[in-house]
Amino acid sequence: MYNYLNPLPPFMNGTAAKWAYVSMAALAALPGQFNRTALEAPWATSDVSDPVLAQTLDYLNTTDFVAYDKRFFDIIGPGATIDHVQKLAFQSHEAPCYIKDTNQLFFVEWGPPGGENGTHPWQYLLDVATNELRKITTDPPTFNAHGCVVYNHSLYVVTDGHGDEESGQLVKIDPHSLKQDVLLNNYLVQPFAGFNDLEIDPRGNFYLTDSKSGWGRGIVSFTPPTNPTVYFVERETYRIKPVHITDGNANGVAISPRGDVLYVPDTGLSSYYPVTKSPYGKRALAAFDISSSGTVLSNERMLSNPISYFYDGVRVSRNGWIFCGAGDGVDVIDPESGFTLGTIRVGGGENLAVSLAFGRNELWIVGRGGVWHVKGVRERLDRDW
């Protein structure tokens, strides 16, 4: 019926979720007229003249999982399902962290139009067993959180800052008491522009992305003091140094399971005042080799450019697969070839995948439209640290 799709592998028959397996060979030479912007998914376009292709794209827009490579079936497996467990405002939700100790998901509502002129002194906690959602406020309040990781039973959170009162910060939060401690708020007296995300290596050292996103959305009013920068922070001494600078925008950040490769997506395609996005801007995922000290990045290469939209939150699974929030869904990328193996979709329309957090055989996706829970994943996703 759908000439551009491969049949599903036999072991995938009878799945609860709706799958499709795209035939790249069949799509290689299309008949008639066709067009789409790089900022929308292939199945979101209606600008095709071939009725069979149009019918296939319409079907793809109804699916939960789209595979481009047979390895995607082995990673996700036939038992996986995706549920839209929280339907929230169509604005950005960010900084998801799965807290194993409490079986809760921490995440935030980020930027305008929510909060008070886009400023948020509170965060969300989702009980993943009951899907009960509540707002929390740390002590003292954490303003404008943007990224989060869990390490050694604590939450480490980065912020955009708060107006002219505080610059971007790295804070530590106790998930039980909600006590918050500021760990870092300057680079040798230079304020940060506003953090976007962070990663932590197996030794507990940090990589922080300092971006212009908070300034661009009016969350902080002072002009960024530098171009967007990735900082390395030594956990024991808090020595800090820039390790990568871009004239685009530093966004997510993730590290390989062995701690030897760093992945950084550039979202320089976004411009500000007004907020617009251009397919001509930077939107590639770069990979860097990490020195034994962790303090020098080398051998920068473009690993992947998204099929559509841009990569936002990035996480690397236990087996090294790269999961990226990419608009219509979460793309799963091969760390060697950079090919997109498949997409976990969040339903199309106004829904938009921004970032994600791993459990053992599950993950949560947050973005515009709320929270999605992907259960029953075949491979174990969470890492050792």
Side-chain angles (χ1 to χ4, degrees), residues 169-184:
Q169 299 181 335
L170 167 65
V171 304
K172 179 181 178 181
I173 299 172
D174 183 316
H176 301 281
S177 67
L178 299 182
K179 288 286 186 180
Q180 180 249 78
D181 294 302
V182 176
L183 303 180
L184 182 72

PDB file of all heavy atoms in Angstrom, residues 169-184:
ATOM      1  N   GLN A 169      24.131  30.165  36.628  1.00  0.00           N
ATOM      2  CA  GLN A 169      24.714  29.459  37.759  1.00  0.00           C
ATOM      3  C   GLN A 169      24.705  27.950  37.531  1.00  0.00           C
ATOM      4  O   GLN A 169      23.840  27.417  36.825  1.00  0.00           O
ATOM      5  CB  GLN A 169      23.922  29.741  39.048  1.00  0.00           C
ATOM      6  CG  GLN A 169      23.893  31.197  39.474  1.00  0.00           C
ATOM      7  CD  GLN A 169      23.120  31.398  40.773  1.00  0.00           C
ATOM      8  OE1 GLN A 169      22.253  30.603  41.118  1.00  0.00           O
ATOM      9  NE2 GLN A 169      23.440  32.463  41.474  1.00  0.00           N
ATOM     10  N   LEU A 170      25.648  27.283  38.167  1.00  0.00           N
ATOM     11  CA  LEU A 170      25.613  25.842  38.364  1.00  0.00           C
ATOM     12  C   LEU A 170      25.256  25.609  39.816  1.00  0.00           C
ATOM     13  O   LEU A 170      25.947  26.104  40.715  1.00  0.00           O
ATOM     14  CB  LEU A 170      26.976  25.216  38.045  1.00  0.00           C
ATOM     15  CG  LEU A 170      27.189  23.762  38.484  1.00  0.00           C
ATOM     16  CD1 LEU A 170      26.264  22.811  37.735  1.00  0.00           C
ATOM     17  CD2 LEU A 170      28.654  23.363  38.300  1.00  0.00           C
ATOM     18  N   VAL A 171      24.161  24.886  40.059  1.00  0.00           N
ATOM     19  CA  VAL A 171      23.708  24.660  41.435  1.00  0.00           C
ATOM     20  C   VAL A 171      23.545  23.160  41.680  1.00  0.00           C
ATOM     21  O   VAL A 171      23.362  22.374  40.753  1.00  0.00           O
ATOM     22  CB  VAL A 171      22.387  25.399  41.742  1.00  0.00           C
ATOM     23  CG1 VAL A 171      22.521  26.891  41.464  1.00  0.00           C
ATOM     24  CG2 VAL A 171      21.222  24.806  40.957  1.00  0.00           C
ATOM     25  N   LYS A 172      23.601  22.793  42.952  1.00  0.00           N
ATOM     26  CA  LYS A 172      23.382  21.419  43.393  1.00  0.00           C
ATOM     27  C   LYS A 172      22.111  21.389  44.222  1.00  0.00           C
ATOM     28  O   LYS A 172      21.919  22.224  45.109  1.00  0.00           O
ATOM     29  CB  LYS A 172      24.572  20.939  44.232  1.00  0.00           C
ATOM     30  CG  LYS A 172      24.440  19.532  44.771  1.00  0.00           C
ATOM     31  CD  LYS A 172      25.690  19.176  45.607  1.00  0.00           C
ATOM     32  CE  LYS A 172      25.588  17.791  46.210  1.00  0.00           C
ATOM     33  NZ  LYS A 172      26.796  17.466  47.027  1.00  0.00           N
ATOM     34  N   ILE A 173      21.225  20.443  43.921  1.00  0.00           N
ATOM     35  CA  ILE A 173      19.940  20.352  44.615  1.00  0.00           C
ATOM     36  C   ILE A 173      19.795  18.968  45.229  1.00  0.00           C
ATOM     37  O   ILE A 173      20.002  17.954  44.549  1.00  0.00           O
ATOM     38  CB  ILE A 173      18.765  20.620  43.646  1.00  0.00           C
ATOM     39  CG1 ILE A 173      18.875  22.030  43.051  1.00  0.00           C
ATOM     40  CG2 ILE A 173      17.419  20.437  44.354  1.00  0.00           C
ATOM     41  CD1 ILE A 173      17.874  22.294  41.937  1.00  0.00           C
ATOM     42  N   ASP A 174      19.444  18.930  46.501  1.00  0.00           N
ATOM     43  CA  ASP A 174      19.118  17.664  47.170  1.00  0.00           C
ATOM     44  C   ASP A 174      17.685  17.302  46.791  1.00  0.00           C
ATOM     45  O   ASP A 174      16.759  18.058  47.104  1.00  0.00           O
ATOM     46  CB  ASP A 174      19.250  17.832  48.680  1.00  0.00           C
ATOM     47  CG  ASP A 174      19.010  16.537  49.445  1.00  0.00           C
ATOM     48  OD1 ASP A 174      18.049  15.805  49.111  1.00  0.00           O
ATOM     49  OD2 ASP A 174      19.744  16.263  50.407  1.00  0.00           O
ATOM     50  N   PRO A 175      17.454  16.165  46.120  1.00  0.00           N
ATOM     51  CA  PRO A 175      16.098  15.851  45.669  1.00  0.00           C
ATOM     52  C   PRO A 175      15.133  15.520  46.801  1.00  0.00           C
ATOM     53  O   PRO A 175      13.916  15.490  46.572  1.00  0.00           O
ATOM     54  CB  PRO A 175      16.296  14.647  44.749  1.00  0.00           C
ATOM     55  CG  PRO A 175      17.557  14.020  45.211  1.00  0.00           C
ATOM     56  CD  PRO A 175      18.417  15.147  45.695  1.00  0.00           C
ATOM     57  N   HIS A 176      15.630  15.273  47.997  1.00  0.00           N
ATOM     58  CA  HIS A 176      14.767  14.962  49.148  1.00  0.00           C
ATOM     59  C   HIS A 176      14.358  16.238  49.899  1.00  0.00           C
ATOM     60  O   HIS A 176      13.168  16.481  50.122  1.00  0.00           O
ATOM     61  CB  HIS A 176      15.476  13.992  50.091  1.00  0.00           C
ATOM     62  CG  HIS A 176      15.862  12.701  49.455  1.00  0.00           C
ATOM     63  ND1 HIS A 176      14.964  11.676  49.230  1.00  0.00           N
ATOM     64  CD2 HIS A 176      17.057  12.272  48.959  1.00  0.00           C
ATOM     65  CE1 HIS A 176      15.577  10.668  48.645  1.00  0.00           C
ATOM     66  NE2 HIS A 176      16.853  10.998  48.466  1.00  0.00           N
ATOM     67  N   SER A 177      15.338  17.072  50.251  1.00  0.00           N
ATOM     68  CA  SER A 177      15.048  18.283  51.024  1.00  0.00           C
ATOM     69  C   SER A 177      14.792  19.492  50.141  1.00  0.00           C
ATOM     70  O   SER A 177      14.262  20.503  50.604  1.00  0.00           O
ATOM     71  CB  SER A 177      16.222  18.591  51.955  1.00  0.00           C
ATOM     72  OG  SER A 177      17.376  18.969  51.207  1.00  0.00           O
ATOM     73  N   LEU A 178      15.194  19.420  48.863  1.00  0.00           N
ATOM     74  CA  LEU A 178      15.136  20.527  47.904  1.00  0.00           C
ATOM     75  C   LEU A 178      16.036  21.687  48.304  1.00  0.00           C
ATOM     76  O   LEU A 178      15.879  22.808  47.822  1.00  0.00           O
ATOM     77  CB  LEU A 178      13.696  21.018  47.683  1.00  0.00           C
ATOM     78  CG  LEU A 178      12.728  19.980  47.121  1.00  0.00           C
ATOM     79  CD1 LEU A 178      11.349  20.592  46.904  1.00  0.00           C
ATOM     80  CD2 LEU A 178      13.252  19.388  45.808  1.00  0.00           C
ATOM     81  N   LYS A 179      17.015  21.431  49.182  1.00  0.00           N
ATOM     82  CA  LYS A 179      18.024  22.438  49.496  1.00  0.00           C
ATOM     83  C   LYS A 179      18.906  22.654  48.271  1.00  0.00           C
ATOM     84  O   LYS A 179      19.307  21.699  47.600  1.00  0.00           O
ATOM     85  CB  LYS A 179      18.881  21.995  50.684  1.00  0.00           C
ATOM     86  CG  LYS A 179      18.153  22.031  52.022  1.00  0.00           C
ATOM     87  CD  LYS A 179      17.970  23.460  52.506  1.00  0.00           C
ATOM     88  CE  LYS A 179      17.378  23.507  53.915  1.00  0.00           C
ATOM     89  NZ  LYS A 179      17.195  24.905  54.380  1.00  0.00           N
ATOM     90  N   GLN A 180      19.218  23.924  48.003  1.00  0.00           N
ATOM     91  CA  GLN A 180      20.000  24.271  46.824  1.00  0.00           C
ATOM     92  C   GLN A 180      21.256  25.015  47.235  1.00  0.00           C
ATOM     93  O   GLN A 180      21.225  25.891  48.105  1.00  0.00           O
ATOM     94  CB  GLN A 180      19.156  25.129  45.886  1.00  0.00           C
ATOM     95  CG  GLN A 180      19.837  25.572  44.609  1.00  0.00           C
ATOM     96  CD  GLN A 180      20.116  27.072  44.596  1.00  0.00           C
ATOM     97  OE1 GLN A 180      21.056  27.549  45.226  1.00  0.00           O
ATOM     98  NE2 GLN A 180      19.289  27.817  43.878  1.00  0.00           N
ATOM     99  N   ASP A 181      22.384  24.652  46.624  1.00  0.00           N
ATOM    100  CA  ASP A 181      23.657  25.326  46.865  1.00  0.00           C
ATOM    101  C   ASP A 181      24.238  25.778  45.536  1.00  0.00           C
ATOM    102  O   ASP A 181      24.296  25.004  44.576  1.00  0.00           O
ATOM    103  CB  ASP A 181      24.658  24.395  47.553  1.00  0.00           C
ATOM    104  CG  ASP A 181      24.222  24.006  48.954  1.00  0.00           C
ATOM    105  OD1 ASP A 181      24.024  24.903  49.783  1.00  0.00           O
ATOM    106  OD2 ASP A 181      24.073  22.792  49.201  1.00  0.00           O
ATOM    107  N   VAL A 182      24.698  27.033  45.488  1.00  0.00           N
ATOM    108  CA  VAL A 182      25.358  27.560  44.294  1.00  0.00           C
ATOM    109  C   VAL A 182      26.802  27.084  44.289  1.00  0.00           C
ATOM    110  O   VAL A 182      27.548  27.316  45.240  1.00  0.00           O
ATOM    111  CB  VAL A 182      25.295  29.093  44.251  1.00  0.00           C
ATOM    112  CG1 VAL A 182      26.070  29.620  43.038  1.00  0.00           C
ATOM    113  CG2 VAL A 182      23.855  29.572  44.199  1.00  0.00           C
ATOM    114  N   LEU A 183      27.198  26.418  43.194  1.00  0.00           N
ATOM    115  CA  LEU A 183      28.560  25.906  43.070  1.00  0.00           C
ATOM    116  C   LEU A 183      29.444  26.819  42.229  1.00  0.00           C
ATOM    117  O   LEU A 183      30.643  26.900  42.454  1.00  0.00           O
ATOM    118  CB  LEU A 183      28.542  24.505  42.451  1.00  0.00           C
ATOM    119  CG  LEU A 183      27.718  23.439  43.176  1.00  0.00           C
ATOM    120  CD1 LEU A 183      27.822  22.109  42.431  1.00  0.00           C
ATOM    121  CD2 LEU A 183      28.164  23.281  44.614  1.00  0.00           C
ATOM    122  N   LEU A 184      28.839  27.492  41.235  1.00  0.00           N
ATOM    123  CA  LEU A 184      29.629  28.288  40.295  1.00  0.00           C
ATOM    124  C   LEU A 184      28.739  29.349  39.687  1.00  0.00           C
ATOM    125  O   LEU A 184      27.620  29.048  39.256  1.00  0.00           O
ATOM    126  CB  LEU A 184      30.174  27.371  39.194  1.00  0.00           C
ATOM    127  CG  LEU A 184      31.069  27.994  38.125  1.00  0.00           C
ATOM    128  CD1 LEU A 184      32.440  28.333  38.699  1.00  0.00           C
ATOM    129  CD2 LEU A 184      31.224  27.038  36.942  1.00  0.00           C
TER     130      LEU A 184
END
